[in-house]
Amino acid sequence: GVASALYFPRKEYLENVYIDEPAGMPLLRIHALKDSEEEVAHFHLCQNLIISRTRSHEKSWFQIKEKTGLLYLSKSLDREDFNVPSVGNGMTLSKVILYVFLSSHPFQEKECDSATHTTVSLSLINATTPACSSLTARQLCFTEMDLSFHIKENKPPGTFHQLQLPSVHHLCQNLSISYKLLAAEGLPFRYNENTTSVRVTQRLDREERERYELIAKCTVREGFREMHVEVPFLVNVLDEDDSPPFLPNGIDTVDAVVEFSRKEGTVLAALAVYDADTTPIYPLESSRKKYTGTIVTDDPWISETFRVEHVFDEIHFSPNGSRVRGTRHEYKLVLNKTISVTEHRSFQLDILVNDTEYPGPERLVMLHFNVSILPVNIQFSNMTYQFTVNRNAERFAQIGKICIENCMKFRGVNITYKLLSPNVSCYPVAILQGREGKYGSLYVNDSSVLRRPECKEIQYTVQATDKQSRKHTKTLLTVVLDGTLLKNEEGCPDSCARSKHRAECEECGGLGVLTGRCQWRQGSGKGITTNYSTCTPSIKTCPDGICDVVESRDPAVCPQDCTSGNVIGGHGKGIGNLGIKSGHGICYCFPRQNCYCEKDDIKEQLCDDMCKTVI
Amino acid sequence: PPGPVGQDPRGWRVPVDCVRANELCAGEPSCSSRYRTLRQCLAGRDRNTMLANKECQAALEVLQESPLYDCRCKRGMKKELQCLQIYWSIHLGLTEGEEFYEASPYEPVTSRLSDIFRLASIFSGMEPAATTSKSNHCLDAAKACNLNDNCKRLRSGYISTCSRELSAAEPCSRRKCHKALRQFFDRVPGEFTFRLLFCSCKDQACAERRRQTIVPSCSYEDKEKPNCLDLRSACRMDHLCRSRLADFHTNCQATFQSLTSCPGDNYQACLGSYAGLIGFDMTPNYVDASTTSITISPWCSCKGSGNMEEECEKFLRDFTENPCLRNAIQAFGNGTDVNVAP
């Protein structure tokens, strides 16, 4: 193809252009570096691609020497040419953007679309060329463009910059301006005093060193006066894929066990692959395509059940003391679907990693995962449940949790708990599914049954069923009714949360209470705290910052965890704007309406002397 | 007789806003048909393929002579988004779309910081430069905002939106928070917003309050720091974000050509375009509560830049090590402005 492997050591060049500068005035020198020794660079301005912020009529204002890359004015610019809309401060009238193209053979216009290019940004200054004597040493020595270059690794040496400014050299010939390159000892760069050009003297290796920081020093002599300016001169080495992947510590095998976590998306195990080359995270998709990881299998079940997730991260290597960027690739084996509790098998699964752009067979690495899928037993541990329930408990009182073996470790296993009706008429309790189908919450469903003397000890059978496999298990549950019936206080509210004072709280009952009486939580914190004072059916479950399944059945049970209404007073809302996470003083609620958080220290003050005078 | 629309007495074009320019173009059959052609050319095609098409190129050339070519938009104007869409529909064809710095589609800011100081002192009833060692300027700024109905309403609006926790996994709705912040910075005058954003601090509590101004836990921080070039390309997908970023680059890009390092020594323009970035992907903020050094950054890093590291660092440095931005913030804090002869 025509694609040239020549390249520019800079993406962008900057320079100023003044009114009345003569035709032929040199503006700046552009360099190209080579891919192979025999290449010759040809520079070209593509006319049809000169687009600027002004108009397109300056097409013929600039030209470039094809061989040397010297950009110059082809016509003297006068005030008429500058008659363009003023933008900004009035100093810089406009910018002209030129694209300089590069080819390894004499240029043909049709290549304009495909060839490599660099951008030249010329600021048109609404003033005549400043006199040499009015320029500062900084302006005589360097442009505003920072001296920062990039050189590709593994490419032949060559000249990539000229320190002398062509326009200054052209205009201020009576000044002596000389340059030096400091801190270059032992580095692969040479400065040529005659041409003021800088050259890279050997092929560079990014994996050895990726940044060179030198200093360009300029000396201006004017009679006996001598001025010095120093600016940083930076060279970045560009990376190419010249390192194969390797395994850190040689580890290529890992165990992957599927047991209690069986949900789609579970990460089972991961293996890392290192590479001394960099991998850009932008654009992400193209890097993923360049560095692939695929499951090697003919088994459709395996390819349906597992997937590979590839993430990568920049890490650093330090060859001979300098810091060099590299990449850590991580390949995660992930469940692509939820696995049934009955599934039982083990096998080795291989992932083939391919650094696709590395030339050579070492681009391939095989990773091994010893996969064991263990079945999960749906069974209650060797026990029967026994709960004692106070006869004074109210509806939605939480009695306890029912849970099969290991239930809290489950992910992706959905268990339904059910009470099988006993053969008696006493039936005070019910079960609600806990979150994520892990456990069941046993609660009082019919408090009138608790009060009936004939109901004393009730036997239930609890059944737990796995939703997916329909496997089920049973155990016995005994509910013992206990305690003597308390007399109901007159005028008590239905919800504990309504009580604002400890006394009224503790003498009343309310929805969800376990023993017939609400419980008072005495906060200790100052200001707005999660430990606020409040009246609750059970300190264990309310307020705990979670609106659980039982509480959410009725807003009067625990509005402190479940309210979605207004909270008046100093407070912080809970997750999802539900409940009171933190409050100031005492928080109390009118279910289905507002909650209030306030300090209860407003005591009747005696009228002091000050107050008497006011009255 | 009055000259043609869009020309001043010297015969120079005066930028009209793009919505108006669009109306003018729609009135001319040749302009409107070329404009329609260009929009079709740009839809889903890159610039080089577009320019290879003779019809597209011709449309572009004709439009360069129309009022659409020089049109600009105003910050917070009516139909701002529509205006910017018109602007970019022409300018994406003109520039490469990959330029490091893009020209701002907004009209140049002509007002000065001194205007703000003058107004601020009227509002607060005190000298802006009055500094006692005890005073907390950021607290004063919050008080001043609370005394103004509009500022108070929009400030409490964004604060409550940005601090509303949705779920354990999602601490807030970033989208809504950004929208509320944009409303605040677009609709509340700089006298209030600048004082909140750029107050000067002598102790850490003050600097922390300054850092917290935009509720960074929601509007700024994220679980992971993306690559800055990735963030920039996300911003450039959105006309508003792209415009605000271009405006920041136009007004805050450090230069040797001025005393203050700011283009045209215009601090107000730089601070205004900084505030204009808040509420977008490129939202900048103070990185810490340091009182001695001010470091600003968007939420991104140059990790994983590969061969584009130089470009990424250059982009990031325009926030983190920008003498124009730093001088402008300090000048605002000190209540000083450069006196520029008109």
Side-chain angles (χ1 to χ4, degrees), chain A residues 11 51-55 83 89 117 138 144 148 150 211 239 280-282 313-314 325 575-577, chain B residues 12-13 47 64 69-70 94 96 99 164-167 233 255-256 264 303-304 306-307 310-311 313:
Chain A
K11 266 196 152 172
I51 302 290
S52 75
R53 305 249 169 78
T54 56
R55 309 247 159 206
N83 195 359
N89 57 20
H117 68 266
R138 177 73 179 72
E144 273 206 39
S148 174
H150 48 252
R211 190 179 279 224
D239 193 23
I281 59 173
Y282 165 75
D313 218 342
E314 188 173 288
R325 296 171 300 151
I575 290 167
N577 237 14
Chain B
W12 286 16
R13 280 166 180 278
R47 183 172 163 276
Q64 284 187 39
Y69 178 71
D70 287 328
L94 291 174
E96 223 185 343
E99 260 186 281
R164 191 169 296 146
E165 199 175 347
L166 293 179
S167 68
S233 84
T255 168
F256 297 142
K303 230 180 133 188
N307 280 338
E310 196 187 339
E311 185 171 352
E313 281 177 353

Side-chain angles (χ1 to χ4, degrees), chain A residues 103-263:
Chain A
S103 171
S104 52
H105 49 260
F107 215 87
Q108 288 156 337
E109 203 64 33
K110 62 174 161 46
E111 291 172 67
C112 280
D113 289 340
S114 56
T116 17
H117 68 266
T118 188
T119 309
V120 178
S121 178
L122 299 169
S123 300
L124 304 183
I125 309 288
N126 187 15
T128 48
T129 322
C132 295
S133 56
S134 73
L135 290 174
T136 63
R138 177 73 179 72
Q139 288 169 312
L140 288 168
C141 293
F142 304 105
T143 62
E144 273 206 39
M145 174 172 91
D146 49 359
L147 293 181
S148 174
F149 306 90
H150 48 252
I151 295 177
K152 290 186 183 176
E153 65 172 330
N154 310 323
K155 301 288 183 246
T159 300
F160 62 95
H161 186 63
Q162 178 185 295
L163 285 164
Q164 183 185 65
L165 304 179
S167 53
V168 172
H169 183 68
H170 184 83
L171 291 169
C172 311
Q173 285 174 355
N174 54 339
L175 286 177
S176 147
I177 303 171
S178 61
Y179 295 88
K180 268 205 173 81
L181 206 55
L182 306 181
E185 305 82 44
L187 298 186
F189 303 100
R190 285 291 165 274
Y191 170 65
N192 180 329
E193 233 166 285
N194 298 329
T195 57
T196 79
S197 57
V198 185
R199 180 181 162 76
V200 55
T201 56
Q202 64 185 57
R203 288 171 189 257
L204 302 178
D205 179 7
R206 192 204 65 88
E207 283 71 36
E208 205 172 284
R209 179 158 179 181
E210 60 177 345
R211 190 179 279 224
Y212 295 90
E213 296 175 6
L214 297 90
I215 295 163
K217 182 181 177 180
C218 170
T219 306
V220 180
R221 269 187 216 90
E222 204 180 0
F224 293 108
R225 245 157 50 93
E226 216 179 71
M227 289 168 291
H228 302 281
V229 183
E230 289 184 8
V231 297
F233 186 102
L234 305 174
V235 178
N236 287 296
V237 185
L238 292 191
D239 193 23
E240 62 172 23
D241 196 346
D242 58 348
S243 316
F246 66 95
L247 295 158
N249 303 319
I251 298 166
D252 65 351
T253 308
V254 73
D255 289 336
V257 182
V258 180
E259 197 174 7
F260 302 117
S261 281
R262 315 177 78 91
K263 197 176 178 175

Side-chain angles (χ1 to χ4, degrees), chain B residues 123-323:
Chain B
F123 281 115
S124 64
M126 60 176 189
E127 283 301 306
T131 48
T132 56
S133 60
K134 285 250 177 99
S135 68
N136 178 333
H137 292 295
C138 299
L139 190 60
D140 294 342
K143 285 182 192 162
C145 177
N146 281 341
L147 290 174
N148 174 284
D149 283 345
N150 186 37
C151 187
K152 183 183 174 184
R153 185 174 56 82
L154 290 169
R155 181 165 170 264
S156 41
Y158 83 73
I159 289 176
S160 66
T161 309
C162 298
S163 11
R164 191 169 296 146
E165 199 175 347
L166 293 179
S167 68
E170 214 183 340
C172 68
S173 163
R174 195 185 181 90
R175 193 179 53 79
K176 285 184 182 162
C177 172
H178 276 175
K179 192 177 171 202
L181 278 167
R182 292 201 296 269
Q183 281 181 348
F184 177 74
F185 287 103
D186 280 349
R187 295 188 195 164
V188 178
E191 294 90 79
F192 297 107
T193 56
F194 283 22
R195 283 182 80 190
L196 283 165
L197 269 184
F198 309 119
C199 41
S200 68
C201 284
K202 291 199 182 71
D203 60 65
Q204 216 183 332
C206 171
E208 179 59 16
R209 175 180 277 276
R210 179 175 62 191
R211 192 184 77 83
Q212 291 287 349
T213 302
I214 61 165
V215 197
S217 59
C218 180
S219 68
Y220 179 65
E221 288 153 27
D222 211 339
K223 273 175 238 111
E224 280 172 49
K225 267 194 182 179
N227 184 276
C228 295
L229 298 175
D230 204 2
L231 196 65
R232 181 180 68 175
S233 84
C235 176
R236 284 187 170 176
M237 305 281 268
D238 172 61
H239 284 317
L240 264 168
C241 189
R242 180 179 207 138
S243 308
R244 299 298 174 92
L245 183 62
D247 195 50
F248 175 77
H249 281 150
T250 304
N251 293 316
C252 291
Q253 197 190 134
T255 168
F256 297 142
Q257 287 173 359
S258 72
L259 214 67
T260 59
S261 301
C262 282
D265 289 318
N266 192 339
Y267 284 149
Q268 159 98 24
C270 175
L271 296 181
S273 45
Y274 173 93
L277 279 174
I278 295 170
F280 293 94
D281 286 340
M282 203 50 82
T283 299
N285 198 26
Y286 299 88
V287 297
D288 55 28
S290 161
T291 47
T292 47
S293 67
I294 289 175
T295 312
I296 301 281
S297 172
W299 189 256
C300 66
S301 82
C302 284
K303 230 180 133 188
S305 295
N307 280 338
M308 309 266 278
E309 194 174 48
E310 196 187 339
E311 185 171 352
C312 181
E313 281 177 353
K314 185 179 167 198
F315 177 81
L316 189 53
R317 271 200 305 272
D318 281 330
F319 292 92
T320 55
E321 292 168 40
N322 183 334

